[in-house]
Amino acid sequence: MTTAADLVLTNAEVHTLADPDETAEAVAIRDGRIVAVGKRQDVEHLAGIETTVRDCKGRVVLPGFIDAHTHLPMVGRRLVNADLSGADSPTDAVNLLVAQAAETDPDGSGPDREWVIGFGYDESTWDDDRYLTADDLAIVSDDRPVAAIREDMHLASLNAEALHRLRAEMPDSDVHTRGGEPTGVVVEDALDALWAAIEPDRVAMRRAIHAAQAHANELGVVGVHDMVRNSEAPAIYRELDRVGELSLRVRINYWSDHLDAVRELGLRTNHGSDRVRVGGIKTYTDGSIGGRTAKLSEPYADSSADADPSETADSDDRSDGANRGQWVVGPDELRDIVARATDADLQVTVHAIGDEAIAETLDVLEAAEGSRHRIEHAEVLPDELVDRLAENDVVASMQPNFLKWAREDGLYAARLGDERRLASNPFGEVLGRGGRLAFGSDCMPLDPLFGVQQAVTAPDDRQRLSVTQALRAYTSGGAYAGFDEDRLGTIEAGKCADLVVLDRSPWAVALDEIGAIDVRTTVVGGTVVFERGAER
C-alpha cells in the first residue's frame, strides 16, 4: 500500500529546472521530501484523508530560491534601522536619519540604541553624486554617534561624534581626508571599528534574524549562504534550528578571522544539521567599485571628490597619479589563508571584484588543494579570466542585481567607463564557456526576482541570460556552490521539498516586469513558511 503524501500541490505549471524545458502539473511531498512529480492524475492519487491538497490555479511552481551570498543579519538590521536605499539625494538620506534619531531612545541600553544608524545609501543614483560627509550628518546629531553605511558595506559616513570615538582604531590609509582633516568618509579596514561598536547583542540579533528570515521567505528564499564575522548569528541559527523556528536552510561561511577557531573545533565544510551547515572560510582580497577600492589592472575612470588621493590610499597604487584600488587582503596573506583552510578540508570563498584581484585569486586557488572553491562577486571579469574559472572548477558566485549599476550613466559608467561597464558581470560568458554560476544578492536588495530581471534585461549580450538560465543560477547554481546538488535546487523525487509558487509566470510577462511578480507561497521542507494574504 502506498503511503499518502502530507502535501500535494496540483493544477500547477511546475518547472522542475532539472532540465531546462521539463514541466509537470503536480508535486507530492512526504516527510519534507518530494515523492512524486508529474501529471495531475498520476500525483493526486497520493492524496489521503489527512493530505493537504493545494490547488495552485495554474500558477508557476519553482524550486525555492537559494541566495548564495548574503548577510542575513544585515537584512534584519536594515528593517529596524534607517533604510537609506530609497534616498534620492544627500538631503533625503539625512532626513531619514533625522527621523530615525527621533524614534530612537538615546538613553536606551546597547549600542544600537545610542547610535543612529542607516544602511544602504547609494550616491550613484543621486544628481549630487558624492558620499555623505560628517558635515552632512551634523544635522542628525552633534552628541550621538551617527553612521550612514553605503549599500556595498565597504564605505561608511560618520559624524564628528562617531569619528571622535573610533578614529584612533582606524588605519590612516582608510580614512578619507581633505586638507589633512577627516571628511567623515571611511573605507575597508576602517569599518572594523564601526562594526564592533554597533554589533547587536544576542537579543537584538535574534530579533534581526527573525525579521530577516520572514522577509526572505516572503521573497521565495528558502536557503542562504551567510557570510558572518564576529557575530552572534551562528549561535542563533543553531538555536532557532533546535527549537524549530528556522524557516530557512543556512550555510555559514566564517570570516577568515575565525579560521583558527573553526579548525580547533574540528568543523568541516558540510558538517551540521538538515537546516544549518558549515560552508567554508570567507576572505576579502580587494574592496568595492562604489568605494573605488576594488583592485583593477587599469585606473578608475573617475577620481574621488571626497578624498585627497595622496592622503587616502597606498602610495604604490597611485604612484602615477591614478587610482587602481587597493588590497584589503594581499596575495601573500590570501595564499596563507587558503592553504590553512584547505588543509582543514574547508571550502574557500574569496571576495574579488576587480580584474587584478580576480587574477591573483585564481593564481592562489589553482594551486590549492580541494575543489569547488568560490570567487565572490567577480564584477570586472575579462574573457581570459572567464576561461580560467571554467578550467579550474571555481564557482563564480555573482550578483545579478549589480547590473542595476551597469546601465547607461550608472555607477559603472562613472567608475569604469563604458567599455568595462558593458563587459562587467558577464554571466552569459561564464555559462557559455562552461563555468559554474551561482546567484546571490549580497542583500542589495535581497529579492531574487529583482536579480533575475536584471540578468535577463542586461545591456550587453555578454551579461544577458535567458529566464531559465537566470532562475537556475538562483536555484541549482546555489545548490552546487554549497555541495547541495543532491538534495536542493531542482524539483525531483527524493529532494527536499523547498518550493516557491509565483502569482505570474516569469516566462509569460514582459522581461522588465519579472521583478514585480509576487510570491504566493513558499515551502521549506514540506512546510508552508509564507503565504501571501495569510496572517503573520
Side-chain angles (χ1 to χ4, degrees):
M1 179 179 177
T2 302
T3 305
D6 302 318
L7 173 66
V8 170
L9 304 181
T10 189
N11 189 21
E13 182 183 318
V14 181
H15 292 259
T16 70
L17 298 188
D19 178 281
D21 301 317
E22 185 176 53
T23 61
E25 297 174 339
V27 181
I29 297 161
R30 184 192 309 122
D31 296 331
R33 296 270 176 170
I34 297 167
V35 293
V37 185
K39 294 185 177 296
R40 290 181 63 176
Q41 61 269 29
D42 295 333
V43 174
E44 287 180 349
H45 80 277
L46 292 173
I49 296 173
E50 296 183 358
T51 301
T52 299
V53 178
R54 286 176 171 259
D55 182 346
C56 293
K57 303 183 186 303
R59 295 187 177 97
V60 165
V61 176
L62 300 174
F65 300 121
I66 299 169
D67 190 322
H69 184 116
T70 195
H71 305 269
L72 197 65
M74 287 298 177
V75 174
R77 292 171 72 179
R78 287 187 184 193
L79 295 172
V80 298
N81 288 287
D83 181 359
L84 307 181
S85 60
D88 58 13
S89 67
T91 299
D92 192 20
V94 168
N95 287 340
L96 289 168
L97 288 162
V98 169
Q100 177 69 19
E103 294 173 3
T104 308
D105 176 12
D107 298 321
S109 60
D112 274 333
R113 300 300 299 276
E114 181 187 12
W115 281 73
V116 182
I117 306 169
F119 288 94
Y121 86 82
D122 180 4
E123 80 296 331
S124 72
T125 66
W126 302 344
D127 290 337
D128 189 358
D129 181 6
R130 64 176 180 81
Y131 305 132
L132 295 172
T133 66
D135 289 343
D136 294 315
L137 301 183
I139 298 170
V140 181
S141 180
D142 57 7
D143 60 349
R144 295 174 64 186
V146 180
I149 299 162
R150 195 181 183 279
E151 186 170 26
D152 59 15
M153 295 185 291
H154 286 259
L155 180 149
S157 302
L158 307 178
N159 73 341
E161 177 61 22
L163 278 170
H164 172 71
R165 296 188 186 195
L166 304 179
R167 178 66 183 86
E169 303 171 52
M170 295 177 168
D172 291 342
S173 60
D174 288 343
V175 177
H176 283 204
T177 59
R178 181 174 289 119
E181 294 298 320
T183 64
V185 176
V186 300
V187 299
E188 304 307 339
D189 287 347
L191 269 73
D192 289 352
L194 173 63
W195 295 130
I198 66 173
E199 178 66 21
D201 61 19
R202 183 168 292 202
V203 172
M205 180 61 80
R206 198 177 196 277
R207 186 166 56 246
I209 287 174
H210 260 298
Q213 75 168 359
H215 182 59
N217 292 156
E218 185 176 351
L219 297 171
V221 175
V222 300
V224 296
H225 299 182
D226 201 5
M227 311 294 164
V228 300
R229 185 181 194 183
N230 299 324
S231 173
E232 296 278 0
I236 292 169
Y237 288 136
R238 291 188 174 93
E239 175 192 343
L240 294 177
D241 183 23
R242 179 177 58 80
V243 299
E245 294 181 13
L246 190 63
S247 61
L248 292 163
R249 301 186 195 276
V250 181
R251 293 186 68 84
I252 302 172
N253 289 291
Y254 294 92
W255 225 268
S256 56
D257 307 32
H258 307 309
L259 175 54
D260 288 340
V262 169
R263 285 166 55 102
E264 288 167 9
L265 288 169
L267 299 179
R268 297 290 183 268
T269 294
N270 298 322
H271 280 190
S273 70
D274 180 61
R275 290 288 170 101
V276 182
R277 295 192 175 184
V278 175
I281 296 298
K282 164 73 170 10
T283 183
Y284 283 134
T285 55
D286 61 349
S288 72
I289 292 172
R292 299 180 178 87
T293 53
K295 191 76 169 138
L296 303 174
S297 60
E298 298 295 331
Y300 282 86
D302 61 357
S303 59
S304 173
D306 297 296
D308 178 346
S310 67
E311 295 184 78
T312 60
D314 299 335
S315 59
D316 287 347
D317 291 328
R318 297 189 181 178
S319 58
D320 60 358
N323 176 21
R324 295 183 179 84
Q326 68 188 70
W327 294 114
V328 178
V329 173
D332 289 342
E333 185 179 354
L334 175 65
R335 195 169 292 108
D336 176 67
I337 291 168
V338 171
R340 290 191 293 129
T342 56
D343 182 61
D345 295 327
L346 290 159
Q347 184 188 39
V348 180
T349 70
V350 182
H351 166 120
I353 286 178
D355 57 334
E356 186 169 341
I358 297 167
E360 291 286 353
T361 299
L362 283 169
D363 287 346
V364 173
L365 295 182
E366 285 167 357
E369 296 294 325
S371 63
R372 211 177 296 193
H373 300 305
R374 299 164 43 157
I375 292 183
E376 308 297 317
H377 312 308
E379 291 169 59
V380 184
L381 187 65
D383 285 351
E384 64 272 15
L385 297 183
V386 174
D387 287 335
R388 288 178 65 187
L389 276 170
E391 291 164 4
N392 289 280
D393 192 32
V394 174
V395 176
S397 173
M398 302 176 77
Q399 288 66 50
N401 43 5
F402 288 6
L403 284 175
K404 65 187 179 183
W405 295 316
R407 312 295 167 170
E408 190 173 355
D409 299 325
L411 174 71
Y412 288 163
R415 300 287 195 272
L416 303 174
D418 270 341
E419 184 177 345
R420 286 183 293 184
R421 166 180 77 88
L422 293 172
S424 68
N425 301 286
F427 309 131
E429 286 292 298
V430 170
L431 288 183
R433 294 172 185 238
R436 295 285 191 171
L437 179 63
F439 273 171
S441 70
D442 209 9
C443 51
M444 292 190 245
L446 186 69
D447 188 356
L449 288 171
F450 174 84
V452 169
Q453 177 178 312
Q454 295 299 313
V456 301
T457 61
D460 191 89
D461 287 343
R462 290 166 290 183
Q463 303 162 325
R464 200 173 305 126
L465 297 179
S466 70
V467 171
T468 301
Q469 288 173 325
L471 290 169
R472 293 182 85 183
Y474 242 126
T475 51
S476 56
Y480 181 86
F483 297 91
D484 272 330
E485 66 270 25
D486 291 337
R487 69 184 191 122
L488 305 176
T490 58
I491 301 177
E492 298 178 87
K495 289 199 171 181
C496 295
D498 296 357
L499 310 169
V500 60
V501 183
L502 305 182
D503 259 348
R504 293 182 289 162
S505 169
W507 290 273
V509 301
L511 296 180
D512 60 1
E513 293 180 6
I514 290 175
I517 295 173
D518 283 333
V519 169
R520 170 63 54 175
T521 307
T522 305
V523 179
V524 178
T527 298
V528 174
V529 297
F530 169 76
E531 186 166 17
R532 188 162 301 280
E535 292 293 329
R536 296 179 57 190

